[in-house]
Amino acid sequence: MRASPALACVVPPRYLAAERQRERRLMPRFQPIDFYEFDALLSEEERLVRDTVREWVDDNLLPVIEHATIERRFPKELIPQMAELGIYGANLPEEYGCAGLNSVAYGLIMQELERGDSGIRSFASVQGALCMYPIFAFGSEEQKRSWLPRMARGEVIGCFGLTEPDYGSNPAGMRTTARQDGNGWVLNGAKMWITNGSMADIAIVWAKTGDVDDVASIRGFIVPTKARGFSARDQKGKLSLLASDTSELALQDVRVGPESLLPNSGGLKGPLSCLTQARYGIAWGAIGAALACFDEALRYSKERVQFEHPIGATQLQQLRLVEMLTAITQAQLLTLQLGRLKDRGTARPQQVSLAKRANVSMACDIAREARRLLGANGILVEYQAMRHMANLESVYTYEGTHDIHTLILGQELTGFSAF
Ligand code: TGC
Ligand code: FAD
């Protein structure tokens, strides 16, 4: 995290207004449970980063997320605050204006953001793992110096265009093309379900520069969204990730200069490596959503009285809570080990698939069970469980569906591709 006053847990003055707002609404504060002394496995810096973002989420994200959800709008006012905390591309090097954190600290940031809302974690994931990372990994030195510091400061927002209307799980089939035109390129095609699509300043667009079947010809392009022929349209009718911008992109004879091409990208491996970064963040993020639901359910079980005793005094609700605690504890330990492997440089994409698949599924189950424990109140937006439950259906689907990760792991075990 950027060495800023925020790192030292000094809450910038304008955040105090949100704190007062929280108190007015008597929003209960998150009460972390550390059943397996997980904190002892973290460094001081990792804990500090997590606690800083945790406090920011409690004071600034949670007070606005309910209304943002009802109004179906991404809370743009949070963008500069997250930049100030050093959240965007937090695991990329300081020489490009980023925080230079290790993978575990980065993961803990994703956990805390998604404890607030999957849509906010999505925004940060797309900005960091899907837009800044490809510029860092496949860009020229000039591109890195030009884009990364501005993106870290939240002055330039990115989106990532891989999925197409007819190619979701199978991006190798993409139809978007980039044809060389003098020094530059002309792009044509459509991208679907693109997070941040309507608010982005640039789009990382993946396109084929050769024949329609030539997967090796896939290259990445930094496309300014104000380029002539580029348009974005909001995806209407969502019942999930309501506080997130999801759009369809159309590229019609979009001309870009040579500086647009990510020179070191080539083949499907390029976008898939970006997905590995984002899936890693999602594995942590899902724990955050689960923690929020567990925290709310536990508190509710102690407060809600039926048959003259708290529902938490009944065996059925205790079973629910114990299953939640067990699943969260297992996920934390698994994901921490993944983070340590990533920092050692030995984590493999299949290990990331296992964590994304297991943790998102775990979080979906916990959100659903928490919602049920809350009875009728569980369907209200002023409680968190149902918002998380609906959000997690998208998380289950994007960045490789649960099924696709099953097949990735099945192939890893048997050597047979079953796609
Ligand atoms: P395949 O032949 O298996 O692989 C092609 C090349 O890529 C390499 N590779 C990877 N590299 C890094 N990370 C990974 N996860 C990788 N997976 C594969 C592979 O080694 C090979 O390299 P090389 O050198 O031999 O060329 O490719 P395939 O066409 O058979 O596809 C495999 C499959 C189905 C697993 C892949 O297409 C896939 O993962 N599909 C799911 C698509 C997906 O996840 N889309 C996500 C779109 S972005 C999004 O959802 C953002 S949501 C917003 C948010 O994050 O919050
Ligand atoms: P399909 O691929 O059509 O799959 C439909 C069903 O078939 C699924 O159940 C799937 O698991 C199953 N299936 C597919 N293939 C097989 C198989 N071989 N064997 C068995 N079952 C199979 N994409 C981006 O590029 N950028 C973004 O920013 C982005 N953001 C998103 C935000 C949201 C809210 C959502 C919902 C999606 C987003 N996506 C984004 C797209 C996302 O990655 C795709 O939705 C996902 O990869 C699945 O593709 P699909 O929806 O076309 O489903």
Side-chain angles (χ1 to χ4, degrees), residues 178-181 183-187 209 221 254-258 261:
R179 302 280 173 240
Q180 199 129 27
D181 178 45
N183 269 344
W185 299 85
V186 180
L187 283 88
T209 57
F221 295 84
V254 176
R255 279 168 201 281
V256 291
L261 174 71

Side-chain angles (χ1 to χ4, degrees), residues 278-290:
R279 289 166 179 174
Y280 170 75
I282 290 173
W284 281 101
I287 298 175

